[in-house]
Amino acid sequence: MDKDRMKQITRDLLEVIGENTKREGLRDTPRRVADMYAELTEGYSMNPKEILAREWNEVTGMVVAKDIGFFSLCEHHLLPFHGKVHIGYIPSRAVVGLSKLVRLVDCFSKRLQLQERMTKQLADALNENLHPYGVVVVVQARHLCMEMRGVKSGAEIVTSEIRGQFKKFETRNEFFEMLRKDV
Ligand SMILES: [Zn+2]
């Protein structure tokens, strides 16, 4: 990221808002904002193929990772949406550790995003790199662009994507049963 340019843009933004960019509290704001955007968009430089490359062979049943927290930025307003991702897959040969799934969520959430697209990208990345028998991804999120402004609704938005065997009702049901359980 061109941080000098980001600092200048932030100074411009502060001026347009009507602020005095010289005052104490705002003096370091352009630098902080530039660092922050670099961090919040670092997913662009992450590669899902690389993240999922270090897999291991193991015969198991359904693998479920629930409550993976995430923060993203809505591409319409540049405001955060945040919540939890739940992932289930049925390995055909490869399984990956939880830390890989957390990194995969980082890869797609630390960008300008739409919740629906992020859900789809996660399902596709798992499907294409692990070749499982099936994948399900559920994302629950709250959108600050709807809570701070606009409709001012605090509703949680839930999106899901299914691939392969999760299209079968019983398989999908087993996944949701596992999500409900507190183990
Ligand atoms: Zn928005």
Side-chain angles (χ1 to χ4, degrees):
M1 179 178 285
D2 183 343
K3 286 202 179 168
D4 285 335
R5 191 157 171 223
M6 186 56 100
K7 283 190 234 169
Q8 188 52 55
I9 289 165
T10 306
R11 272 191 289 274
D12 289 347
L13 177 69
L14 291 170
E15 272 168 23
V16 172
I17 287 172
E19 269 290 357
N20 168 14
T21 56
K22 303 270 189 298
R23 74 176 172 83
E24 179 79 44
L26 293 180
R27 210 177 296 150
D28 273 339
T29 299
R31 180 192 52 79
R32 291 193 194 99
V33 170
D35 290 345
M36 178 191 74
Y37 271 106
E39 190 181 334
L40 297 186
T41 59
E42 67 188 5
Y44 288 112
S45 60
M46 297 168 77
N47 180 350
K49 214 183 187 74
E50 262 167 42
I51 294 168
L52 297 174
R54 301 243 314 271
E55 55 190 37
W56 67 86
N57 295 326
E58 199 177 300
V59 182
T60 83
M62 188 184 299
V63 177
V64 174
K66 69 173 186 177
D67 296 340
I68 301 174
F70 79 92
F71 287 85
S72 189
L73 289 172
C74 115
E75 69 180 15
H76 295 151
H77 303 94
L78 307 187
L79 281 173
F81 67 97
H82 64 99
K84 287 170 179 173
V85 178
H86 314 293
I87 293 170
Y89 65 100
I90 304 168
S92 63
R93 50 186 175 82
V95 295
V96 287
L98 177 63
S99 66
K100 305 289 175 188
L101 297 179
V102 171
R103 275 176 61 74
L104 191 70
V105 170
D106 271 352
C107 170
F108 291 114
S109 60
K110 292 186 170 179
R111 305 168 181 225
L112 305 188
Q113 264 295 14
L114 296 173
Q115 183 176 337
E116 295 82 356
R117 187 174 60 217
M118 184 176 92
T119 311
K120 188 173 182 302
Q121 286 173 332
L122 285 165
D124 287 338
L126 289 161
N127 206 33
E128 286 158 21
N129 292 288
L130 298 182
H131 308 287
Y133 293 122
V135 174
V136 56
V137 176
V138 176
V139 179
Q140 294 175 271
R142 291 174 57 175
H143 293 246
L144 292 198
C145 64
M146 290 197 299
E147 300 193 18
M148 295 171 73
R149 52 163 295 288
V151 291
K152 297 210 166 98
S153 154
E156 193 172 64
I157 308 292
V158 183
T159 49
S160 68
E161 287 281 337
I162 50 172
R163 303 284 182 275
Q165 287 188 1
F166 284 96
K167 286 176 183 162
K168 282 192 291 187
F169 173 77
E170 310 82 72
T171 315
R172 208 159 61 236
N173 207 35
E174 189 187 332
F175 169 74
F176 284 109
E177 278 301 311
M178 283 170 87
L179 279 194
R180 266 192 289 273
K181 240 184 277 175
D182 276 320
V183 257

